Amino acid sequence: MMKNLFFVFICLISAISFAQKVKVLDQETGKGVKNVTVFNEVNTISLSTDDNGFIDISSIKENEIIFFSHLSYAVYRIKKSLLVNQDFIVYLTKESEELDEVVISSFKKDEKSKRIAEQIAVLSTKDIQKISPQTSADLLAAIPGIKVQKSQFGGGSPVIRGMESNRVLLVVDGVRMNNAIYRKGHLQNSITLSPNLLDKTEVIFGPSSVIYGSDALGGVIHYYTKTPKLSEETTVKSELFSRFSTVNQEVTTSVSAEVSFNNWASFTSISYSDFGDLRAGENRNHGFSDWGKVFYYSENVNGNYAENPTLNSDPNLLRNTGYNQTDFLQKFYVPLSKNTDLKINLQYSTSSDIQRFDRLNELKDVTDTSSLKFAEWYYGPQKRFLLSTQLLINPDKNWLESGTITTAYQNIQESRIQRKFGNLDRSYREETVNIFSVNGDFSVPITEDKTRILSYGFEVAYNDVGSNSYGKTLDISNHEIVGFSNDFKVQSRYPDGGSSFLTSAVYVDYRQDLSPKSTLNTGIRFTNTHKNATWIDETFLDFESLTLSKNNSAVTATLGYVYKPTRNWQLNSVLSSGFRSPNIDDIGRVREKSGNVTIPNIMVDPEFAYNAEIGILKYFNKRKFRLGANMYYTLLDNYIQRDFVYNTDGSIKQVEFDGEFGNAVNNQNKGNAYIFGYTLNYLGKISKTINTAGFITYTKGRTYDTKEPLSSIPPLFGQFEVNYAKDKIELGAVFRFNNKKDITDFNFTEGIDNHDLTPIVDANATDDVNKFYGTPSWMTFGVNGSYNVNKNLSLQARLDNILDEHYIEFASGVSSPGRNLSVSLMANF
């Protein structure tokens, strides 16, 4: 009997001991986290998790608060007695109620925002779900300091600090999306990733060339797609998302499935969106009754043929704006060992034909709304394929604590098809870009407490560009296209003999806590680019040389300093430099717009940016509310701008494009220019149930040499919102505004700002300043709400632009949506 009692007693003691053991896991991967510091509130006990993430907390009392702290995660707090409700499992995340504990991954190394001097913004999964954007471009428009331009509804070109297109770097899961044909002007590539596939989005403002290399002049937009996580037990989770929007009859459906095991995991997701023609707002408080209306449109879409423009029975319905898109994501997560993990990432995006709305509404005679120039102008299906692998290593050596090696292959396919009214000749221009890249990013703490960290890495990326062009004459019978009657030559968009762009770089970054109140960050990067291009056909253009081979090199650096004089104040300052090496689009593009024909210029050199900025943060309510201000000045040197090409006699050179002659322009290096701006923002909780956020952004850019405004400089804009959340209900209201941009603040030389698409005030004026108005000011108001029916089902609704205001975003060629009701359903199984 005594032996049995003793045995039971030992079992009870063992059970109690086991119950005191907690496992700490990464919320994203489900893998155990080692070296997590665990301590009580009075800091009399300090422990650390083992290599598998386990920690024995039996020495801590049941009524004490336990803190779990790690450099790569937000601090987690919980009362010990409540751990039993979580099966003694703690998940660490990168989010925290304390705003300075947000962990940023965009710097290639997890880092808490309180140690970062640069202006940053983060949208989490919850933020993305709340915004419920139709495209990833619409998602970016909700971030403080970012303005988005659209030439057609199937697009979205983000502007950061007056920089756009190839001056802003897009990254997805550590792989740069920018390629050799990213153009200067407006890009639509940001939509080739469904927001339903995103886990979060991080943005770094300002030159970031030390970490990311060429193109990151205005900043970096880093998309992170959803990743599967491990599970102690085999689990299968699925999710359904569906949304309907009234403004364009949008129907979006996204389904995903996550399968988790203790030694590997898989995540599969597919999203399909079908967008109908967009309806613009009817209330034209700007005073221009016809601006933005579509009186005539082309019915030459989807294989149809119409000899003349068609009268639009509803001018507020923007014909030829609809399209559809499919996005696919497959990820595998496989721990190869205790210190090595492998991620395999496959992404594919494709669309229907996307009509170029602004070109289809281009008039041959501005006084005649029926004189449309183009019968056809559309992008063929935009296709993006990505296959990448990430090897995450954690050897924990003196020379290397952790690192990531990312290899990737991308295939991009684009095409442009156009035909003019009164002409049966249709031209085709098709581009394919194959990109091979590998980059390594490593870090090692120089001190045991990790107050001094050295990071270093390399990058190699090779772009192979193919450009094909041809023309076909339509064969028409009984007002239908029955085939083609003739083939003819067409000038290719890029070098028809092929072109390539090679980038190689190395960098070193050093971060040190000088004291508990201050952190210093420095870094330097060397980048070399090499490009080759070959032209064959000289039917339309004469080239001084049919081949090009050119090298460019640059050294960029950054110096950042964070000072926290008190717990509730933070001061940031940054000195940084960036550069952009001309790519194949800069030196070799040929295209026509508004009577100007862009021709190649192989002599373009890199442009540089030198930036100084300061930021101030003030925290309230136990760091749950924050006021912020960030001001910067960026000097552009040797900046690239499109300008006219002159003959030796001083006249503008004329060149032929698709049967018509136009003024020749090309990209040219200029002198110096500056961009100055600031963003004021606030974010946080007013109470347990109410939170609010808002920002105002101002930007100004001028050239020192020509004294004219820079392109892509938006007017003052901002947003304010307030949200209420309690139990199963969330409610919110959003106010957005945009000041007027005077016509005198537009850059007329490049034409990127589309000043000719602003309201006309005097059609007979001989100069643009007196002919056009500029972009009118506007404001919109919207409300939103969601209801969690249960843990597996939630409903959401948004009513945007309640007053049905008509407005057009700066530099855009299509009106913004009118009043829109969208209803979403999300179900988990």
Side-chain angles (χ1 to χ4, degrees), residues 726-768:
K726 186 175 183 180
D727 298 329
K728 297 182 177 182
I729 297 177
E730 293 186 19
L731 302 173
V734 181
F735 171 76
R736 300 176 61 219
F737 75 93
N738 203 110
N739 272 12
K740 175 189 176 184
K741 184 177 177 74
D742 292 323
I743 193 63
T744 54
D745 291 329
F746 281 72
N747 181 291
F748 300 139
T749 303
E750 288 193 293
I752 293 174
D753 291 345
N754 291 326
H755 67 277
D756 54 336
L757 298 182
T758 67
I760 297 175
V761 293
D762 185 358
N764 297 318
T766 58
D767 63 289
D768 289 344

Side-chain angles (χ1 to χ4, degrees), residues 689-706:
T689 58
I690 300 176
N691 65 76
T692 181
F695 72 89
I696 295 175
T697 295
Y698 171 81
T699 316
K700 180 180 180 179
R702 292 269 176 174
T703 64
Y704 280 119
D705 48 356
T706 62

Side-chain angles (χ1 to χ4, degrees), residues 25-49:
L25 303 177
D26 183 304
Q27 175 68 44
E28 182 179 342
T29 66
K31 193 174 183 181
V33 183
K34 64 180 180 179
N35 297 328
V36 176
T37 302
V38 181
F39 55 93
N40 58 355
E41 192 167 14
V42 293
N43 211 16
T44 57
I45 299 174
S46 182
L47 310 168
S48 182
T49 57

Side-chain angles (χ1 to χ4, degrees), residues 79-93:
K79 193 173 183 179
K80 180 181 177 181
S81 59
L82 297 179
L83 284 171
V84 66
N85 299 327
Q86 302 179 185
D87 297 324
F88 293 94
I89 297 176
V90 169
Y91 287 99
L92 296 186
T93 70

Side-chain angles (χ1 to χ4, degrees), residues 492-509:
S492 63
R493 183 175 175 87
Y494 298 112
D496 54 347
S499 53
S500 63
F501 188 74
L502 174 66
T503 299
S504 53
V506 293
Y507 76 90
V508 177
D509 187 76

Side-chain angles (χ1 to χ4, degrees), residues 599-611:
I599 63 175
N601 179 12
I602 63 176
M603 303 307 295
V604 185
D605 291 321
E607 57 184 352
F608 292 83
Y610 304 96
N611 179 70

Side-chain angles (χ1 to χ4, degrees), residues 382-397:
Q382 297 188 63
K383 299 180 180 180
R384 181 182 68 88
F385 173 81
L386 165 69
L387 175 62
S388 73
T389 62
Q390 275 192 334
L391 190 66
L392 294 84
I393 55 177
N394 296 273
D396 202 14
K397 303 293 185 182

